[in-house]
Amino acid sequence: MKITIIGAGSSYTPELIEGLINRQDALGLIELALVDIDQGMNKLEIIDKLTRRMFDQVGKSIVINSGVDRRAALVGSDYVITQIRVGGLAARALDERIPTEHGVLGQETTGAGGMAKALRTIPVILDIAKDMEELCPDAWLINFTNPSGMVTEAVLKNFGIRCLGLCNAPMNMYRSLVNFLKLEPAQVQVRYLGLNHLSWISRIWIDGRDKTDELYENNDLIAHIAESLGPEPVNREIVRTSKLIPSYYLKYFYHPSAQIATDQQALADGRGTRAVQVGQVEQDLFQIYADEATDTKPEQLSMRGGAWYSEAALSLIQSLELDEGKMHIVNVLNNGAIDDLPDDCVIETNCFVDKTGAKPLAAGRLPRYVSALVQSVKCYEQLAIEAAITGSRDLALTALIQHPLLPNAETAEVVLDKLLLAHREYLPRFFR
């Protein structure tokens, strides 16, 4: 097997490398290609050397190639993992700062900032998909690039390559539940549904028996779930009445004003946005990576937010490759799994995965507590995808007005235009 990682200069890459080392024999991995762009070459060289030290440390042999020639790297690839950030952390900082300055949530994957990221990212990922269609048409594209669901939908609607989207949030939610219950992962199964970063665990089985209603009689469990949404007491009522475990990202929808106030204060006192804080973490990480004494994944990487990143990606690849027939939570075409959503849209849900691909489990209708919200955000996503591909400001504005985190059309227009101008160099389709 040959695996190509595009965006390999990312600080997350050592997490993937550790997983590849652990599964190398099972997967038959003999070649690894690490790809980035010219601006990322310094980081890529550090990752290349660290990767070689990590394999040497465990006495494993592998062919490693790294560089900026994406097309050359794609030739012969069986799996392509994408983890790119168009414009880097500087672009993310603008995605967060500009909306915040206008009293709107500034977040890198949802709302106005998330749309700006999608507009920059989707055309680049489609170029990668086009190259794959020509150079490795039988390969799987495993997309980690955010916003993962939108990026995956854009690929599947425009190219015939095999593509699945991934996020580590579902794995984090599942493991947090398992740890709270003090059980082994094999004992606990969950029903997971929604969209990427707008999703819920709706049912819980323990040793094959549906324990959902019984578990929600436990006030400690309700308190544990509510913690992920922030300190507001109403979170316990949200969890108790819905009997749903929400993704961490639902705090932005349930409590946007509190998050905006926090972000505005961070700007006012000079701490900057989350991108600025992540930038310092990454700077520290790459100093560790560059140390020739470092030959394992550093513990400090956990501060970056990549928990279970490797497990999500490589357990999925193992199921695809070895025909294990296991359950995974994946971003995949709906194809009738959720009745409330179009068949040709991408959802995030339980899928049975084997060599033929990922097949979503039938879910019926969404829980009534969340159906309207999910449909509204999916409408935004589909309009934003079309805007990214066509370069239509009108479609982008229509999409942003549709998003529930934008308070009114006037604010949406001002924020959109400022984001478009701020990212002009990465949005040629909008400035033809």
Side-chain angles (χ1 to χ4, degrees):
M1 182 194 296
K2 176 183 178 180
I3 292 179
T4 296
I5 302 174
I6 298 179
S10 165
S11 60
Y12 285 128
T13 301
E15 174 83 18
L16 276 177
I17 301 305
E18 181 183 67
L20 288 172
I21 289 171
N22 293 337
R23 297 175 188 263
Q24 183 183 12
D25 295 337
L27 295 175
L29 177 65
I30 62 171
E31 185 174 355
L32 180 63
L34 306 174
V35 182
D36 215 294
I37 58 176
D38 288 335
Q39 296 92 321
M41 270 305 297
N42 182 53
K43 290 183 175 179
L44 182 61
E45 289 173 358
I46 291 172
I47 293 292
D48 174 277
K49 292 175 181 177
L50 174 58
T51 298
R52 294 174 191 273
R53 292 196 301 269
M54 290 175 70
F55 273 95
D56 288 344
Q57 195 269 340
V58 294
K60 290 183 176 286
S61 177
I62 187 173
V63 175
I64 299 173
N65 294 298
S66 64
V68 297
D69 191 339
R70 183 178 76 207
R71 287 176 58 84
L74 288 174
V75 174
S77 296
D78 299 291
Y79 293 88
V80 178
I81 299 173
T82 46
Q83 50 174 29
I84 68 173
R85 183 184 295 278
V86 178
L89 286 175
R92 174 178 173 175
L94 292 170
D95 292 342
E96 295 167 340
R97 180 172 61 79
I98 290 172
T100 300
E101 290 175 342
H102 290 273
V104 177
L105 181 74
Q107 211 282 324
E108 68 157 337
T109 62
T110 192
M115 189 176 80
K117 189 176 198 307
L119 297 182
R120 296 193 305 274
T121 304
I122 286 172
V124 177
I125 292 288
L126 293 184
D127 284 343
I128 293 170
K130 183 179 180 181
D131 285 347
M132 288 181 62
E133 201 169 52
E134 175 189 349
L135 302 169
C136 52
D138 296 326
W140 278 98
L141 172 57
I142 308 298
N143 176 64
F144 258 115
T145 298
N146 277 323
S148 183
M150 295 173 68
V151 169
T152 303
E153 184 168 327
V155 171
L156 291 173
K157 281 186 172 179
N158 289 277
F159 290 93
I161 64 169
R162 302 186 293 181
C163 175
L164 295 171
L166 272 183
C167 178
N168 64 338
M171 184 76 76
N172 285 340
M173 291 168 63
Y174 170 70
R175 290 286 183 164
S176 176
L177 175 64
V178 169
N179 291 339
F180 176 84
L181 296 173
K182 296 181 172 59
L183 296 171
E184 294 298 319
Q187 295 179 268
V188 182
Q189 291 79 43
V190 300
R191 190 73 177 88
Y192 193 98
L193 48 79
L195 310 179
N196 179 231
H197 291 181
L198 189 72
S199 49
W200 296 262
I201 291 175
S202 62
R203 306 301 296 176
I204 306 165
W205 290 266
I206 297 177
D207 295 327
R209 299 180 63 184
D210 190 335
K211 295 287 188 177
T212 309
D213 293 338
E214 180 180 329
L215 287 170
Y216 278 96
E217 294 176 4
N218 183 338
N219 288 329
D220 289 339
L221 174 63
I222 291 173
H224 171 73
I225 295 168
E227 283 178 6
S228 69
L229 300 174
E232 290 78 2
V234 72
N235 291 332
R236 297 193 184 197
E237 291 303 301
I238 292 171
V239 174
R240 183 183 61 81
T241 56
S242 69
K243 292 185 179 179
L244 297 170
I245 300 179
S247 162
Y248 161 88
Y249 286 87
L250 264 298
K251 74 174 187 176
Y252 300 120
F253 292 86
Y254 295 154
H255 310 294
S257 296
Q259 188 62 46
I260 292 166
T262 298
D263 294 342
Q264 288 176 329
Q265 185 59 48
L267 287 180
D269 64 22
R271 283 179 291 135
T273 69
R274 171 67 178 162
V276 175
Q277 298 156 29
V278 167
Q280 184 58 57
V281 172
E282 288 209 342
Q283 184 177 335
D284 295 343
L285 280 172
F286 272 93
Q287 288 180 350
I288 297 170
Y289 295 166
D291 187 339
E292 293 186 1
T294 303
D295 57 9
T296 59
K297 182 191 77 175
E299 286 297 320
Q300 292 90 331
L301 181 53
S302 62
M303 296 173 60
R304 182 64 181 85
W308 304 109
Y309 180 73
S310 171
E311 178 66 17
L314 299 175
S315 62
L316 175 64
I317 289 176
Q318 186 164 321
S319 290
L320 290 167
E321 186 68 15
L322 303 183
D323 208 22
E324 292 180 324
K326 289 189 175 181
M327 199 70 66
H328 296 265
I329 298 169
V330 183
N331 285 270
V332 64
L333 283 176
N334 183 25
N335 283 335
I338 296 178
D339 293 342
D340 311 52
L341 296 173
D343 287 348
D344 66 344
C345 80
V346 163
I347 60 174
E348 188 169 81
T349 193
N350 301 79
C351 292
F352 181 80
V353 179
D354 59 17
K355 278 190 175 181
T356 64
K359 291 166 275 296
L361 273 63
R365 298 188 64 81
L366 291 164
R368 62 178 179 170
Y369 299 96
V370 303
S371 179
L373 175 60
V374 172
Q375 291 182 66
S376 176
V377 173
K378 177 48 71 175
C379 179
Y380 145 78
E381 286 187 353
Q382 295 196 307
L383 288 166
I385 290 168
E386 190 176 349
I389 293 170
T390 62
S392 167
R393 176 194 175 275
D394 292 344
L395 276 173
L397 178 58
T398 303
L400 205 52
I401 291 172
Q402 176 68 31
H403 201 290
L405 290 177
L406 270 293
N408 54 65
E410 292 79 12
T411 301
E413 183 173 42
V414 170
V415 171
L416 171 64
D417 286 342
K418 289 199 172 184
L419 285 167
L420 291 177
L421 285 171
H423 297 302
R424 181 170 184 151
E425 65 177 302
Y426 304 111
L427 298 170
R429 299 182 188 200
F430 284 86
F431 294 94
R432 280 178 280 201

